[in-house]
Amino acid sequence: MSHPLLPAVLALVQQAGAAILPFWRQGVQVVEKADASPVTAADLAAHRILADGLQALDASIPVLSEEDADIALSERALWARWWLVDPLDGTKEFIADSEEFTVNVALIEGGQVVFGVVGIPASGVVYYGGSGLGAWRAEPGEEPQAIVVRETPASGLTVVASRRHGSALQEQLLAALVARFGDIERVSVGSSLKFCQLAEGSADFYPRLAPTSQWDTAAAQGVLEGAGGVVLTLQGEPLRYEAKESLLNPFFLALPADVEWRAVLVEQAKRLTPAN
Ligand SMILES: Nc1ncnc2c1ncn2[C@@H]1O[C@H](COP(=O)(O)O)[C@@H](OP(=O)(O)O)[C@H]1O
Ligand SMILES: [Mg+2]
């Protein structure tokens, strides 16, 4: 993938992952933020590396990070191009000693993801990609491999979902899918890794009818879009990153762009949530 800013961002994501690892499985102290979500010294160490590194790379591109997100809408509304960063996504998984936590950096322009980089500190694997650019998975010390979404297997859909955050509405949507297409295999995965599993063709669908913030999804959306996937609102529109007061995303559906069940899925989603 060629984007002039990509090599430096890949290096920063690796550095942020290296800064997180010394805290992992060490019983790091957990502090509750104002929104009751947890934060640790690892989140803050990764944030510092990414925020400083991105500013050093190009001081004209502003940064919105989960750990420095209190920026007035009047200021954000002026941004044409900006970095959207989750220094440690899956903090609850990280605290629970799981490997399912990620470092996330996306370049946003005109409300869309230009490219995203998702690093997995525990394994050293990095995913990156963007719409129209392609998508790749890089194992440590190996040549990056191009990845693409898969065709839906005849044996049925594999659905990835959060380990901790679901909803009754999400279960209703899945029940409607089962009624229509037969049984589905369900896999619980923490963090933005779920999008990457779709992007590399190891799962088919990620429904998120539960809250997320913009930084939770942007980088991995870039990877998925580069691999031939889409992230849709429940109205069937692409998930966008416009400046708005709330940094929460609408509920969304992530899937390969060209699967034949897309229209049925969106129809079911609209039916379940006429008010959304
Ligand atoms: N009520 C809520 N409001 C906003 N975001 C929420 C939320 N509950 C969970 N999340 C988001 O879901 C992410 C975890 O995703 P998953 O459940 O798929 O593992 C969290 O990321 P962080 O760990 O970066 O805080 C958090 O941002
Ligand atoms: Mg997050």
Side-chain angles (χ1 to χ4, degrees):
M1 173 175 127
S2 59
H3 188 286
L5 293 168
L6 178 72
V9 175
L10 284 171
L12 284 173
V13 166
Q14 295 286 20
Q15 278 176 42
I20 289 170
L21 281 181
F23 297 100
W24 184 42
R25 298 182 170 169
Q26 299 299 318
V28 67
Q29 192 188 351
V30 181
V31 175
E32 201 170 271
K33 290 197 278 191
D35 66 357
S37 70
V39 65
T40 72
D43 300 64
L44 299 175
H47 162 73
R48 204 62 275 149
I49 287 168
L50 295 169
D52 291 351
L54 292 169
Q55 282 301 274
L57 193 57
D58 185 336
S60 74
I61 309 179
V63 178
L64 180 71
S65 162
E66 173 170 11
E67 305 311 337
D68 184 13
D70 191 12
I71 303 173
L73 174 59
S74 55
E75 187 177 340
R76 289 188 281 117
L78 303 174
W79 296 350
R81 206 154 76 118
W82 46 291
W83 298 109
L84 185 45
V85 174
D86 190 342
L88 203 174
D89 182 39
T91 300
K92 287 184 180 170
E93 309 304 331
F94 174 77
I95 293 164
D97 294 343
S98 154
E99 299 185 0
E100 294 167 0
F101 58 92
T102 55
V103 176
N104 300 263
V105 178
L107 180 63
I108 308 294
E109 192 163 359
Q112 292 175 302
V113 183
V114 178
F115 71 81
V117 178
V118 178
I120 308 171
S123 64
V125 170
V126 180
Y127 294 89
Y128 55 96
S131 178
L133 300 173
W136 285 264
R137 177 185 199 273
E139 295 264 357
E142 294 192 13
E143 277 297 301
Q145 302 291 314
I147 52 174
V148 287
V149 295
R150 71 181 181 188
E151 286 181 19
T152 308
S155 53
L157 294 177
T158 296
V159 175
V160 280
S162 168
R163 284 194 185 282
R164 297 160 198 276
H165 308 105
S167 67
L169 198 59
Q170 187 165 303
E171 293 309 315
Q172 271 179 278
L173 179 67
L174 289 175
L177 274 190
V178 170
R180 179 83 190 228
F181 297 114
D183 223 1
I184 54 180
E185 185 180 347
R186 296 183 60 160
V187 183
S188 296
V189 181
S191 81
S192 59
L193 268 176
K194 290 182 276 296
F195 292 96
C196 300
Q197 294 186 345
L198 261 65
E200 70 183 3
S202 55
D204 304 293
F205 178 40
Y206 168 26
R208 183 74 178 214
L209 281 67
T212 55
S213 293
Q214 291 188 334
W215 48 76
D216 291 315
T217 54
Q221 180 171 345
V223 175
L224 181 58
E225 289 178 346
V230 284
V231 184
L232 304 174
T233 68
L234 301 190
Q235 304 310 309
E237 303 296 331
L239 178 62
R240 293 177 57 86
Y241 298 88
E242 311 292 0
K244 54 185 176 61
E245 192 59 61
S246 171
L247 294 166
L248 291 175
N249 287 319
F251 295 166
F252 62 80
L253 315 165
L255 63 156
D258 295 330
V259 286
E260 46 89 17
W261 43 273
R262 173 174 168 169
V264 172
L265 176 69
V266 171
E267 182 193 304
Q268 294 287 355
K270 281 184 184 167
R271 187 171 302 161
L272 280 176
T273 57
N276 261 336

